[in-house]
Amino acid sequence: MNRLRQSGIDFSVGTLNFLANIGIMLPYVLILAKYQASHSETFLIALVAFYISRAASIFYTKRLNLRSTTYLILSLVLGALGSLTFALTDAVGWLIIGSFLWGYSAATIWPYFLTVKLHLSATTEFRMKRLYWAIFAGLALVIGVDLLAKLSYTLTFVLLALLYLAAVPGGVLLDNFTNDFYQNRPNHVHGITQTWRWILSVIGFAVIAVLTTLRKASVSIPSGIVLAIIGVALVILAIELYSDRHVLPNYKVRLLNRGFLVSLVLLFNSFFAYFYLGGSGMYAVFALYLIGFETGYPVFKALGKHDEARALRLSQISLVAGHVLLLIPWVGSYLVGLLLITLYVGYDNPTINQTLYGSAEIDSDTAIVNKYRFSTYGGLCCQLAMFGLLVAVSAVTQTHILDFFKPSDAGNFWLYTFTMSWPLVLISLGISIGNILHEPKTRDVA
């Protein structure tokens, strides 16, 4: 009986670990697949609602001074409800509600899981068993059955809901293991204040909803109006950043840089790669990102011979060189440039986690959430810049916005290279150089 109980605990915690790692992307991919299979406006609306909820949730979580473990359990429950909604109904109202619930879960499950994981590593010897591949194989099998039986992903949504629920006991267990960490901590409520910021945020995320819709469907909105609302969103973003000027002031440029880089690679180049590699371009970009993200830290540690200053310097050289190579319109330099940038992101990610969490000046229970909040600021800045350039060039050349997102051929390669790729790369390079100049020569890494 004890052995069976232990197996259940291992499965629950392993499932939690799995969902935390894939939770930010898998719901979006499944809803997108559902939309592409049905071409229904209902699922387009649900997709936009999910995207907005995911973007907004990281800004407005942690408002009540609850434990990160409590928020983690909440994200699991809301993820189960959101997934189950998509399994049970096609009604647009319910799907919007499900998208909002699932969007919150997708945005918060990883930062809170990572926070709890760091708490555990600091206070206990608890170790999580990794069941990624077993669970992933089971999920892939169910998706295959779903497609063969033409069940429209219903079985997959049900399985995901069950996995979220199966992970809840693991979340409760982690909550018990972190009791010591939360003892003697102040228990005051933050409160939801600054109504004007909430109003600005609603306007800002409404803009993101419009832009997301433009990316997915043919919607006729005059270019001048779109450029105006992008300008408004940039002003709101600047106001928000200024209002948060006292939060992580020594790390803000680095986090904004990280967010811009990730969006440059995964958002812009997942589409722009088509003009280099055709239909396989998006998959090549995702593969390069995964390789760089997973190997960046060990690669630069090895090249730097475990000297932090040397490893940091090499990663920064890689970052700058990657940008320069992206400016060369040749497929070889393009792929190498993307890899060099993602290697830097892969090196920077664990170091920023440990540096933020280990700083005596920062509340360790909010550090990782704030990291993702400012990274999201950087990503939104990249998205707004990309859309601003695309709308402007589309208006001047009388091309449709979807010619970039859903191209039929690579005839616009030079147009998008000169008017979108080069400006975005140069903006990113400027932020990256500012980050390099702003950073100390070494970083404290655990």
Side-chain angles (χ1 to χ4, degrees), residues 325-358:
L325 288 174
L326 288 185
L327 295 173
I328 301 172
W330 176 57
V331 63
S333 58
Y334 175 76
L335 293 175
V336 174
L338 287 177
L339 179 60
L340 290 178
I341 289 173
T342 58
L343 283 170
Y344 169 83
V345 174
Y347 173 78
D348 183 65
N349 193 61
T351 64
I352 188 69
N353 287 343
Q354 294 293 348
T355 304
L356 278 175
Y357 189 83

Side-chain angles (χ1 to χ4, degrees), residues 72-262:
L72 178 60
I73 295 169
L74 178 64
S75 72
L76 292 171
V77 174
L78 295 184
L81 292 174
S83 183
L84 198 58
T85 301
F86 278 84
L88 296 178
T89 182
D90 289 344
V92 64
W94 282 108
L95 289 183
I96 291 174
I97 294 172
S99 296
F100 282 138
L101 297 177
W102 214 358
Y104 178 88
S105 174
T108 59
I109 187 170
W110 172 250
Y112 283 124
F113 174 79
L114 180 58
T115 298
V116 173
K117 188 176 178 181
L118 291 171
H119 291 349
L120 286 170
S121 66
T123 58
T124 74
E125 295 184 359
F126 184 85
R127 293 291 180 269
M128 300 180 192
K129 291 193 176 181
R130 297 186 177 184
L131 302 174
Y132 300 133
W133 296 113
I135 299 172
F136 189 79
L139 183 61
L141 180 63
V142 170
I143 292 175
V145 172
D146 237 332
L147 293 174
L148 289 173
K150 297 181 180 180
L151 297 175
S152 299
Y153 298 98
T154 299
L155 192 60
T156 304
F157 288 130
V158 170
L159 175 63
L160 267 179
L162 293 176
L163 286 176
Y164 278 109
L165 293 176
V168 170
V172 173
L173 178 67
L174 299 188
D175 182 49
N176 293 333
F177 268 91
T178 54
N179 278 333
D180 290 343
F181 175 84
Y182 289 102
Q183 287 181 354
N184 303 319
R185 289 175 60 85
N187 192 27
H188 60 276
V189 176
H190 290 186
I192 300 175
T193 58
Q194 295 183 304
T195 304
W196 64 271
R197 290 189 67 180
W198 281 84
I199 295 172
L200 285 180
S201 296
V202 169
I203 297 171
F205 288 114
V207 172
I208 301 302
V210 171
L211 298 182
T212 305
T213 303
L214 291 176
R215 202 171 83 202
K216 303 295 181 185
S218 180
V219 180
S220 296
I221 303 176
S223 299
I225 294 178
V226 179
L227 287 173
I229 63 177
I230 290 173
V232 169
L234 286 170
V235 171
I236 291 173
L237 189 64
I239 293 172
E240 286 283 332
L241 280 171
Y242 179 77
S243 300
D244 283 331
R245 63 192 179 278
H246 300 304
V247 181
L248 305 184
N250 296 325
Y251 302 92
K252 196 171 277 92
V253 176
R254 185 174 167 189
L255 294 172
L256 291 172
N257 184 208
R258 177 187 182 277
F260 200 101
L261 290 172
V262 171

